[in-house]
Amino acid sequence: MNPWILAIRPRTLPAAIGPLLVGNILALQLEQFSLVIACISMLCAVLLQIAVNLANDYFDFKSGVDTEERLGPLRVTQSGLLSPAKVRNAMILSLVLAFLVGLLLINHGGWPIALLAAAAIFGALGYSGGPYPLASHGLGEVAAFVFFGLVAVVGSYYLQAGATSTSAWLLGSAIGFLNAAIMLVNNTRDMKTDIKAGKKTLAIRIGLGQARLFYQAFVFLPFAVIIAGFLLGFLPGLPVLLAGLSLVFARKLNNEFSHTSGAELNPLLGQTAKLTMIFSTLFSIGWVFV
């Protein structure tokens, strides 16, 4: 496989695409809805996700986190497929492209979008790099919840509507939990090697048993959130019902996670990202037909 495909990790991209899909679909029926802005916002999110993946590859190699004992998918820097300089330059290029695309969104959405864009870029760099890497201090899941949940859904809705809504905050929370679950799978798989590297991820801080309980909460809470939104009158029934169908897949993933560890968690990483996309797509289809 082309090393650049390995580097950008396509299986993680649903974490960026799903919330932007939902945020824009929530605004679909607004008079001022713009398909161009929807597409630009999705492109910006994908570029940021690619930048994060490249940053993880580069910074984890430079800090010594990635070694030959790594259990996760192949890292191109650690394996020697690509030089650190090439990966670093690709990361910078992805961030620059995201910034340039983001300028169009800032021009459309004003200073609140500028603040979100700045936070997203710092988050991309600070996840595994900088003086206080979020991933090394148990904040990776929090970052995923905030940036790939709340910021992505509420921010993309705000771009279209010029305001936020309760439905956007609810869906941002729901998808944020699903994307936090992706991060938790990654960190649970790497517990042994992360301990050696001095990382203190959430999985290390709470232990394997509690990590399994957290995963269960992360994949089931989204359904509680949207059901509560329906019962309180903030969300219509059809999208909630359709999104609820993905609960079957969530139960399957939870059962697998409950008795799996180490390298055997690798397939579950992509499947959890797939859950985010399935949930987002089903909800979006339901919203279109409301």
Side-chain angles (χ1 to χ4, degrees):
M1 183 180 292
N2 188 298
W4 287 112
I5 299 297
L6 292 172
I8 67 175
R9 297 164 60 192
R11 286 192 296 179
T12 67
L13 297 185
I17 297 171
L20 268 294
L21 173 64
V22 169
N24 281 289
I25 285 294
L26 288 175
L28 184 63
Q29 297 172 349
L30 298 178
E31 184 178 348
Q32 68 269 34
F33 176 83
S34 168
L35 181 59
V36 172
I37 291 298
C39 292
I40 292 174
S41 63
M42 285 193 183
L43 175 60
C44 188
V46 169
L47 287 169
L48 283 171
Q49 178 66 64
I50 291 173
V52 169
N53 292 342
L54 293 170
N56 292 347
D57 203 301
Y58 174 74
F59 287 121
D60 282 354
F61 172 76
K62 296 294 288 186
S63 64
V65 171
D66 282 349
T67 67
E68 293 180 356
E69 298 180 48
R70 174 177 166 78
L71 300 177
L74 188 68
R75 287 283 180 90
V76 295
T77 313
Q78 183 273 324
S79 64
L81 290 175
L82 294 172
S83 69
K86 287 184 177 180
V87 176
R88 179 200 61 210
N89 292 342
M91 172 193 71
I92 294 172
L93 176 61
S94 298
L95 287 172
V96 169
L97 290 175
F99 174 74
L100 293 175
V101 172
L103 287 177
L104 299 173
L105 301 178
I106 292 170
N107 181 64
H108 182 81
W111 66 265
I113 301 302
L115 291 179
L116 292 181
I121 290 174
F122 280 115
L125 292 172
Y127 176 76
S128 54
Y132 193 85
L134 299 176
S136 298
H137 293 86
L139 296 173
E141 288 78 7
V142 175
F145 177 85
V146 172
F147 288 107
F148 290 97
L150 298 179
V151 170
V153 176
V154 178
S156 57
Y157 179 84
Y158 180 87
L159 269 168
Q160 299 285 3
T164 65
S165 70
T166 302
S167 59
W169 285 103
L170 288 170
L171 268 297
S173 300
I175 297 176
F177 283 126
L178 293 175
N179 282 333
I182 301 172
M183 195 60 59
L184 184 60
V185 174
N186 183 80
N187 291 333
T188 303
R189 179 201 63 209
D190 293 339
M191 286 178 67
K192 291 183 178 179
T193 53
D194 283 347
I195 290 172
K196 291 182 180 180
K199 292 181 69 172
K200 295 182 179 179
T201 62
L202 177 64
I204 291 173
R205 290 176 182 272
I206 63 178
L208 179 59
Q210 292 298 314
R212 286 172 171 163
L213 290 178
F214 268 63
Y215 182 83
Q216 184 178 54
F218 288 162
V219 296
F220 289 151
L221 275 174
F223 301 97
V225 169
I226 61 173
I227 290 171
F230 167 70
L231 294 176
L232 292 172
F234 295 118
L235 297 175
L238 181 59
V240 171
L241 177 63
L242 289 182
L245 296 177
S246 59
L247 179 61
V248 176
F249 191 40
R251 289 184 61 187
K252 174 179 177 293
L253 297 184
N254 178 63
N255 290 337
E256 292 180 8
F257 189 82
S258 66
H259 61 266
T260 307
S261 60
E264 294 179 355
L265 285 171
N266 280 328
L268 199 62
L269 189 64
Q271 290 171 3
T272 305
K274 187 183 294 184
L275 173 61
T276 297
M277 198 67 225
I278 293 172
F279 179 95
S280 302
T281 301
L282 289 174
F283 184 91
S284 298
I285 291 172
W287 191 273
V288 168
F289 290 100
V290 168

